[in-house]
């Protein structure tokens, strides 16, 4: 109650206290012996579905699992100070928290085929950001320096193309002028960082792109995006997306569904058709990292990987702080079982460019 954040104490006792903050969040405080920390952390991490499955597995092994301990049939307890010990007592390796959804992770753990999940440190580059050449707030040089300060080795310039009028999109002429400045920045940055020349090209209402093939062919990588007509019928909006995926100059499809969490549903796309086309052509699907977007979402990431689709994590940074959202993209990739082999911006720039040029 003495804490300034606390609005109300809901419950208070020697081992359990619950409060509500001024923002309306409920916070539960539990006090327990260090020797029981593993079972408690595992229990409260969830998910419920994962824990139900885990308890059933424990019963098969003659153990009952609770937040306090594993209990043998004779009533004696197995205390677990860490989560590793909980899983080990059930004959399992530690299952990363992001996978605990009862979507096959327990079976995979039993069979020794849990994925080696991507980590934030694995990201070598960002594949989507904006500058003052369209609707970004900082210059190419400032953005390059900010990306390098985040530990990145490369970043793909993806300013908007002209038919997205609100964002002062690039014409062919200005795209070529920007290319000269990108080369100038790369000279200044030296050999430890590289800006890649790209664009976030509009997929128009009829499925064609803002630039002809010969202009797109001049770029290192091309990101294509649908920003308008997201409410078109399923067949029409899916056909637009498929046309972009099948364009041989398109490398990455940005924020595929266009959802805004809590505000706007994604387009009514036939995702299965999109994943199959992307797997066939090698088009990469983006996980946009902004916490309001996370698009592809975790469930889509998982399915895309199952079908052999490659992924790119993009910040869509519009200012130097915008690269800070990348951890949310990595978290979404992890929830979708992604490894470094699945996410092309964990690769070094040489491998990346070789792969897109194939
Ligand atoms: Zn976009
Ligand atoms: Zn963008």
């Amino acid at each position: 109650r003495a804490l300034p954040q606390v609005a109300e104490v809901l419950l208070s006792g020697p081992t359990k206290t619950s409060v509500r903050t001024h923002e309306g969040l409920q916070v539960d405080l539990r006090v327990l012996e260090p020797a029981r920390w593993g079972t408690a952390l595992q229990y409260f991490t969830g998910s419920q579905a994962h824990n139900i499955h885990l308890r059933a597995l424990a019963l098969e092994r003659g153990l009952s699992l609770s937040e306090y301990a594993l209990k043998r049939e004779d009533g004696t307890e197995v205390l677990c100070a860490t989560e590793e010990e909980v899983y080990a007592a059930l004959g399992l390796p530690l299952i990363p928290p992001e996978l605990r959804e009862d979507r096959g992770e327990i079976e995979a753990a039993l069979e020794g085929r849990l994925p080696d999940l991507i980590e934030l440190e694995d990201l070598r580059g960002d594949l989507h950001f904006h500058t003052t050449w369209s609707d970004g707030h900082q210059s190419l040089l400032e953005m390059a320096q900010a990306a390098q300060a985040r530990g990145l080795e490369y970043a793909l310039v993806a300013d908007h193309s002209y038919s997205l009028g609100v964002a002062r999109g690039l014409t062919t002429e200005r795209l070529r002028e920007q290319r000269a400045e990108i080369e100038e920045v790369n000279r200044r940055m030296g050999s430890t960082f590289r800006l890649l020349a790209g664009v976030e090209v509009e997929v128009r209402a009829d499925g064609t792109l803002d630039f002809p093939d010969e202009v797109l062919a001049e770029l290192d990588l091309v990101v294509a995006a649908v920003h308008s007509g997201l409410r078109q019928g399923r067949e029409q909006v899916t056909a637009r997306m498929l046309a972009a995926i099948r364009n041989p100059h398109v490398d990455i499809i940005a924020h595929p569904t266009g959802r805004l969490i809590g505000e706007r549903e994604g387009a009514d796309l036939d995702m299965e058709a999109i994943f199959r086309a992307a797997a066939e052509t090698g088009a990469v699907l983006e996980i946009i990292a902004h916490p309001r977007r996370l698009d592809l979402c975790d469930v889509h990431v998982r399915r895309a990987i199952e079908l052999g689709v490659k992924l790119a994590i993009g910040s869509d940074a519009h200012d130097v702080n915008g690269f800070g959202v990348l951890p949310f993209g990595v978290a979404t990739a992890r929830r979708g079982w992604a490894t470094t082999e699945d996410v092309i911006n964990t690769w070094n720039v040489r491998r990346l460019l070789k792969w897109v040029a194939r």
Side-chain angles (χ1 to χ4, degrees):
R1 203 182 299 268
L3 293 171
Q5 300 92 333
V6 172
E8 189 190 352
V9 177
L10 302 170
L11 178 123
S12 176
T15 63
K16 279 187 203 179
T17 294
S18 289
V19 300
R20 194 179 326 277
T21 66
H22 291 291
E23 281 108 41
L25 274 184
Q26 183 177 328
V27 180
D28 298 335
L29 177 70
R30 308 287 292 236
V31 180
L32 51 111
E33 301 157 54
R36 298 181 191 273
W37 170 250
T39 38
L41 180 61
Q42 197 288 323
Y43 177 86
F44 288 107
T45 299
S47 67
Q48 194 185 7
H50 175 85
N51 287 356
I52 288 170
H53 192 159
L54 211 60
R55 285 200 292 273
L57 191 74
L59 285 176
E60 284 171 26
R61 287 153 170 68
L63 294 163
S64 79
L65 173 61
S66 74
E67 63 187 275
Y68 302 106
L70 282 153
K71 205 178 259 178
R72 298 189 191 90
E73 278 155 358
D74 65 8
T76 57
E77 287 184 323
V78 183
L79 301 188
C80 299
T82 65
E83 288 193 320
E84 279 89 344
E85 292 171 44
V86 178
Y87 286 96
L90 302 175
L92 299 172
L94 178 75
I95 299 177
E98 295 92 333
L99 301 188
R100 298 180 196 167
E101 297 289 349
D102 196 23
R103 292 187 195 138
E105 72 280 6
I106 292 173
E107 293 82 351
L110 284 168
E111 291 161 19
R113 49 175 184 83
L114 280 177
D116 184 9
L117 297 179
I118 179 177
E119 315 232 6
L120 181 60
E121 296 68 40
D122 294 324
L123 275 194
R124 287 165 176 258
D126 180 23
L127 292 176
H128 184 165
F129 78 91
H130 298 267
T131 73
T132 46
W133 283 86
S134 67
D135 61 348
H137 301 292
Q138 262 112 21
S139 69
L140 282 164
L141 179 63
E142 289 168 311
M143 293 300 278
Q145 288 167 336
Q148 188 178 43
R150 295 254 174 206
L152 300 179
E153 298 166 13
Y154 57 88
L156 176 67
V157 184
D159 275 310
H160 292 288
S161 64
Y162 61 86
S163 77
L164 192 69
V166 290
R168 295 182 294 115
L170 297 170
T171 58
T172 300
E173 195 188 358
R174 292 192 67 238
L175 183 69
R176 286 177 173 150
E177 284 168 29
Q178 185 191 41
R179 184 64 186 267
E181 191 181 315
I182 288 171
E183 280 161 19
E184 177 57 36
V185 169
N186 277 336
R187 271 192 293 278
R188 277 189 67 169
M189 296 295 292
S191 61
T192 56
F193 186 85
R194 176 148 170 209
L195 280 183
L196 299 171
V199 70
E200 181 175 4
V201 65
E202 280 306 291
V203 180
R204 299 169 181 149
D206 63 358
T208 60
L209 304 178
D210 261 358
F211 295 121
D213 287 358
E214 64 270 21
V215 173
L216 297 177
E218 295 168 10
L219 299 164
D220 292 319
L221 281 100
V222 172
V223 179
V226 169
H227 293 107
S228 61
L230 284 166
R231 299 274 74 88
Q232 285 174 334
R234 183 178 179 89
E235 215 166 295
Q236 197 181 359
V237 72
T238 300
R240 273 168 86 192
M241 200 59 95
L242 291 176
I245 287 171
R246 297 220 163 93
N247 182 310
H249 295 285
V250 169
D251 300 296
I252 299 171
I253 303 292
H255 44 71
T257 76
R259 74 163 177 172
L260 287 177
I261 295 171
E263 266 176 69
R264 178 175 85 196
E265 294 282 313
D268 183 17
L269 291 162
D270 179 350
M271 293 307 288
E272 199 67 12
I274 284 168
F275 296 149
R276 288 184 190 282
E280 184 192 314
T281 64
V284 174
L285 300 183
E286 183 179 66
I287 301 169
I288 196 166
H290 196 285
R292 280 176 61 230
R293 309 195 72 168
L294 302 176
D295 176 15
L296 300 176
C297 69
D298 55 352
V299 172
H300 285 157
V301 168
R302 177 96 183 271
R303 183 63 183 148
I305 290 171
E306 280 173 358
L307 293 173
V309 177
K310 296 292 184 201
L311 303 162
I313 296 174
S315 71
D316 198 18
H318 284 68
D319 60 53
V320 291
N321 296 319
F323 297 112
V325 300
L326 287 169
F328 301 109
V330 174
T332 298
R334 287 174 62 87
R335 288 178 54 81
W337 296 48
T339 70
T340 55
E341 276 310 292
D342 303 311
V343 179
I344 65 169
N345 46 324
T346 64
W347 305 348
N348 67 36
V349 75
R350 196 192 303 159
R351 179 176 174 196
L352 175 77
L353 291 176
K354 205 170 142 191
W355 192 81
V356 297
R358 82 211 174 283

